[in-house]
């Protein structure tokens, strides 16, 4: 069999531990360029990165845009609203249209699981999954690993409580896999209705008690994802906050607190925690830039990430 030439980042499952560590090391090397007066590097000059976003985004889209620009690539953004997607164009036809411009990388966010796989099958570009439904968000997981490693100095054996709406969270799924990949120890904390059944089969612990936060080094707070809830999963948001909201009383000295954003202040996280010295939320945003630079750099210049075989049909 001939060696595959296209590499993608469709899920954390595409990564080996060596891949993840190489990407974090590359991100760290690239981070040095952020402190220079002239921040642009010539590495990806003449390359085209297309950002195809079918769901709203602040951090992921802006950081992919800036990451590509900082590496001197050309960039295009296509959002579902205001494009021919509004007129009923299928994802496949949109992908084929974009493919006519010969993009080197297509970064896609889509509400349907498997949409990035479809684009990977329909075009010759390297594809990066920037979030598909409640399935995967691999670059978020990598930036979270980077943030933890920079803050604590290690990943092996780090204890992380991921608290809240795990059921609807692609961030949680990707992060659990990524933490396990690098030897960290995740525990999922939340009410039974917001934890997927048999999730512990992944190899993580599960707790329904907020007291579990006391045992960990990192408290990772998830957003209540109302847009993915077809029915009520908690009696009321007020009750959820009383039982699982991350308040100053529930954070012990020495712990760090993370949140992928956007935060629902006063729901899953108390503003006094979000704005405290324990919060790594802004560091996560900065990590997002350098980690996405590293992913683009790695896909386009270095051997590494495995090819995922596209399998799914998405309308
Ligand atoms: N921004 C993250 C995502 O797109 C987390 C969230 O929306 O809660 O999945």
């Amino acid at each position: 069999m001939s060696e595959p030439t296209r590499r993608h980042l469709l899920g954390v499952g595409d990564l080996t531990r060596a891949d993840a560590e190489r990407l974090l090391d590359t991100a760290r090397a690239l981070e040095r360029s952020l402190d220079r007066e002239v921040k642009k590097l010539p590495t990806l000059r003449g390359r085209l990165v297309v950002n195809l976003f079918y769901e709203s985004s602040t951090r992921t889209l802006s950081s992919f845009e800036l990451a590509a620009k900082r590496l001197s690539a050309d960039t295009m953004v296509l959002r579902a609203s205001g494009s021919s997607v509004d007129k009923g164009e299928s994802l496949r036809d949109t992908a084929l249209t974009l493919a006519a411009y010969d993009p080197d990388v297509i970064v896609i966010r889509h509400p349907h699981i498997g949409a990035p796989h479809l684009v990977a099958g329909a075009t010759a570009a390297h594809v990066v999954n920037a979030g598909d439904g409640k399935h995967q968000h691999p670059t978020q997981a990598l930036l979270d690993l980077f943030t933890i490693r920079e803050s604590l100095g290690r990943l092996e054996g780090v204890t992380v409580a991921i608290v809240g709406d795990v059921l609807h969270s692609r961030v949680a799924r990707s992060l659990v896999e990524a933490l396990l990949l690098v030897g960290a120890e995740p525990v999922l904390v939340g009410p039974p209705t917001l934890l997927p059944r048999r999730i512990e089969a992944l190899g993580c612990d599960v707790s329904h008690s907020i007291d579990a936060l006391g045992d960990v080094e990192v408290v990772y707070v998830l957003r209540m994802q109302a847009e993915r809830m077809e029915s009520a999963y908690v009696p009321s948001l007020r009750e959820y906050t009383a039982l699982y909201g991350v308040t100053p009383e529930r954070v012990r000295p020495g712990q760090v607190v993370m949140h992928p954003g956007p935060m629902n202040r006063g729901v899953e996280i108390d503003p006094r925690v979000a704005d405290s010295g324990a919060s790594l939320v802004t560091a996560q945003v900065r990590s997002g830039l350098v980690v996405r630079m590293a992913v683009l750099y790695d896909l386009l210049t270095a051997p590494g990430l495995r090819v995922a075989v596209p399998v799914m049909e998405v309308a």
Side-chain angles (χ1 to χ4, degrees), residues 59-60 109 130 137 140 170-171 223 225 227-228 260-262:
R59 284 148 289 268
T60 306
R109 168 168 288 188
H137 193 352
Q140 176 76 45
R170 55 195 175 206
V171 172
R223 182 172 66 88
Q225 310 224 352
E227 79 276 21
R228 298 193 205 287

Side-chain angles (χ1 to χ4, degrees), residues 28 144-154 217-218 254-258 278 280 283:
R28 183 165 229 203
D144 290 331
L145 292 187
F146 184 81
T147 309
I148 294 171
R149 196 175 79 166
E150 293 301 298
S151 169
L152 273 61
R154 63 186 225 287
E217 296 164 272
V218 181
Q255 281 182 324
V256 292
V257 179
M258 299 172 71
L280 296 181

Side-chain angles (χ1 to χ4, degrees), residues 44 46-52 64-65 67-69 71-78 102-107 126 128 292 296-297 300:
L44 300 186
R47 304 298 195 112
L48 174 60
V49 176
V50 173
N51 289 306
L52 178 56
F64 266 117
E65 263 299 282
K69 290 196 162 96
L71 293 171
S72 302
D74 295 324
T75 65
M76 276 170 44
V77 181
L78 199 80
D102 292 329
D104 295 282
V105 179
I106 297 178
V107 178
H126 301 270
V128 180
R292 287 169 178 134
L296 295 176
Y297 173 85
L300 291 176

Side-chain angles (χ1 to χ4, degrees), residues 24 26-43 62-72 143 146-147 150 282-294:
L24 301 189
T26 306
R28 183 165 229 203
L30 290 167
E31 193 175 31
R32 280 185 232 124
S33 66
L34 300 189
D35 297 328
R36 297 195 197 144
E37 206 178 331
V38 178
K39 298 181 169 48
K40 227 175 169 63
L41 301 170
T43 326
S62 62
S63 59
F64 266 117
E65 263 299 282
L66 188 56
K69 290 196 162 96
R70 286 280 164 83
L71 293 171
S72 302
L143 78 86
F146 184 81
T147 309
E150 293 301 298
T282 311
Q284 286 173 270
V285 177
R286 196 173 159 95
S287 303
L289 173 59
V290 289
V291 163
R292 287 169 178 134
M293 286 171 77

